[in-house]
Amino acid sequence: MSTELESTRRALRDAIAQAERAAELARLLDDAQAKLAAAEERAAQADALAEKLSETEERLAAEQAAADKLRKELAEQRFQAEVANWKLSSIKVARWNRLGDAIKSGKSNPVRLAKGIKGAAKPVKRPTAPKRKPVATTAGKPKEERPGAAYQATTSTRTLEGTSFKLKPFRVPTGPNTRPHLTAAVIADPHAEALLRYEWRQTTGFTPRDFARVLPLEVPHLLVVESVTQGPWAEEIIGEPGEGLKALLAWCAERGIRTVFWHTKGDVSAYAAAADLFEHRFTADLTVAWPRLQFGVQPRVHNPLPLSGGRIDRVLTLDQLLPEHLSYPDVLTSYRWPAAADCPPGTPQWRLAEIAACGTPIGTEPDSRRAHVALRRAYAMGTMSERIDEMLDAIGLPSARPTLNTTVLLPIRDPFTMEHALAQVARQSGVDQLIVIGPPEAELRARDLLPEVEVVYRRPSPSMTEGAMLNAGLDLCETDLVAVMDPRDVYGPHYLSDLRRAFLFTTADIVGKAAFYAHLRKPQATLLKQPEAEYTYLPEITGGTLLARRNAMRELRFADLTEGWDEVLMRQCRTDGVKVFSADRFGYVRVRDEDRWLLGAAHLVEYGSAEPHALI
């Protein structure tokens, strides 16, 4: 009996404890629900206040527009009154009017009449006609500069040692976007905004007061906030987080929008409290224990496209190149201006990469070869598209974007060129598919030399022209880009990767080389064709350097010719309005026994091998 009684007592104690815990949980639940209700009420109040603020801003804008209209009407009335007074004054000093006054006043006094006529004959300065003055309106006041506004260069004059130079500014492109399926709301300083604006559809320029009205117009997939130092958001994220930032993050949380904080500059401790409110944090500072997100070059703006006025024939220091208070579009103009940039030790790596990516030699002397290698290295360090790929993968959003996968078409008509031709393809990087049309032994040899590349072989009929061989290969192409390589020519190991780069910053459908080195075996001469044709849109490029978008080539096709198919293709491009872009002069050598056309159209470099000049 005592055992059963003790068991009953324990059961009662457990039941009482559970009841107390249940009561405590119920109390906590009630508190949570009360807090939730209070939060919902505050959110509703905030929404109501935001709506009232929006209405107030709209009314203010309407009143400002009405006031501007009244100012213009008043200014016009004043101008018309000044015109009337001017006309009256002009009439009074007119000679015929003064003669009439003299005759009227002196008709009874000959002496007065004579004096009056004499005075009327003297010339009198007429009053100056009034001019319309600009009307000061609220719309004419300088607006706060925000990223995402009109993003073009504004300062076209540079001053060096007291001499002014007029530049033709670099035109900042408006697109295209790398990931048009993705929308990002971005709070960033102009530099970071320039790096990000081509990576997705981007919403910028919203403030803590109007984000709830602006962002719903196109609800973003993610919010990216940089460690800004100026603008309406700086005080929200520096030090203690502001209410505007908290409201923005709450708005994103309600809609499942991912939030990212990107620390790029400044003491991380100043931003730590705000950064803790974000789902994901990245940093460009190697001393901070957050995932890395470094700056990368942005091909849309960091590229070797030249200024229309060309470069100045001077080497500039970094201070001369980048005076204070330049907007970032003006910085992009300055990058392209000097013959070379002499950068001091300690220059940030991202700055050096941007200058190099714009094709400007870094050092005390201009050197186009060194500049090309530096450009290649700047891109190899990583583009902004690759950096955003890393970020999107880390936060769980798709990073899909167009690829530069490449197929090489290799028509081999002469079996004696087979080994040389396959060796040129084997030294390239980024080849996904090789289509060989040639002798039977070419298939096994290609598979042996390129074990990681998909090799497709077709045996040509004896009557096939080179153009027909290329068309047959084009029908088998499965990648986004298709390249034609000539079995007779020499291609450096960076040839394809250098050429592919042009698709990152041009809108061309066909890229190749109009500027290139050539070697003629019989005279042992090395020539340079059209050195001024680098990095420009031109009517034609040489066929052995063709790299094109597959879809464009399938519409154009190749002419059924062995010699001159490239000339026919270029004429068709001009007729159809297909853009053709000439890249750099390096990485390729056209090799022939002799060529009178080249001898007459190119510059003689030296008698000897072309490879030391071309292959860098």
Side-chain angles (χ1 to χ4, degrees), residues 30-275:
D30 291 340
D31 290 344
Q33 289 176 340
K35 291 179 180 178
L36 180 60
E40 290 176 348
E41 183 179 354
R42 286 195 295 272
Q45 292 173 351
D47 291 341
L49 288 173
E51 186 175 352
K52 289 182 179 179
L53 178 61
S54 176
E55 293 174 355
T56 302
E57 289 177 342
E58 291 176 359
R59 286 198 301 271
L60 178 60
E63 290 174 1
Q64 287 175 341
D68 291 342
K69 183 178 179 181
L70 290 174
R71 288 191 185 94
K72 291 179 180 178
E73 291 176 352
L74 178 60
E76 181 64 22
Q77 291 174 1
R78 286 175 176 170
F79 173 72
Q80 294 300 335
E82 290 176 358
V83 169
N85 289 330
W86 168 73
K87 289 181 178 179
L88 179 60
S89 300
S90 299
I91 291 173
K92 287 181 178 179
V93 299
R95 181 174 295 176
W96 61 267
N97 187 65
R98 287 184 287 125
L99 281 172
D101 289 343
I103 293 172
K104 183 178 179 181
S105 62
K107 61 183 179 180
S108 59
N109 189 333
V111 175
R112 184 182 297 175
L113 176 62
K115 289 182 178 179
I117 292 175
K118 184 178 180 181
K122 295 180 181 179
V124 177
K125 185 178 180 181
R126 303 190 67 176
T128 304
K131 295 182 180 180
R132 277 192 171 89
K133 299 176 182 179
V135 181
T137 64
T138 54
K141 293 181 180 178
K143 296 182 179 179
E144 178 186 358
E145 183 179 350
R146 294 179 182 172
Y151 201 80
Q152 295 297 336
T154 57
T155 304
S156 59
T157 302
R158 302 290 188 276
T159 302
L160 291 177
E161 299 174 352
T163 303
S164 294
F165 296 84
K166 188 77 171 178
L167 305 185
K168 293 185 177 179
F170 172 71
R171 183 73 180 173
V172 179
T174 57
N177 291 335
T178 302
R179 303 171 187 83
H181 62 280
L182 200 63
T183 301
V186 174
I187 298 169
D189 285 337
H191 178 213
E193 195 273 338
L195 302 182
L196 296 172
R197 67 201 304 259
Y198 303 99
E199 297 304 323
W200 39 45
R201 294 197 310 273
Q202 185 157 290
T203 301
T204 58
F206 53 91
T207 69
R209 293 196 308 168
D210 64 8
F211 74 85
R213 177 170 54 87
V214 174
L215 295 185
L217 299 177
E218 185 175 7
V219 178
H221 298 91
L222 75 160
L223 168 72
V224 179
V225 178
E226 188 208 6
S227 51
V228 294
T229 58
Q230 56 188 357
W233 288 100
E235 61 184 22
E236 296 284 331
I237 66 172
I238 297 175
E240 190 65 26
E243 294 301 320
L245 177 65
K246 293 177 181 178
L248 173 61
L249 294 176
W251 186 90
C252 291
E254 291 173 1
R255 292 156 180 79
I257 299 170
R258 289 170 173 81
T259 57
V260 173
F261 183 81
W262 187 21
H263 171 244
T264 60
K265 55 187 171 295
D267 186 352
V268 70
S269 62
Y271 301 97

Side-chain angles (χ1 to χ4, degrees), residues 266-283:
D267 186 352
V268 70
S269 62
Y271 301 97
D276 285 340
L277 303 178
F278 289 75
E279 295 177 281
H280 304 276
R281 289 165 293 279
F282 297 90
T283 182

Side-chain angles (χ1 to χ4, degrees), residues 411-419 439 487-488:
I412 303 176
R413 296 176 56 81
D414 184 354
F416 292 102
T417 64
M418 182 190 73
E419 282 292 336
R488 298 168 291 181

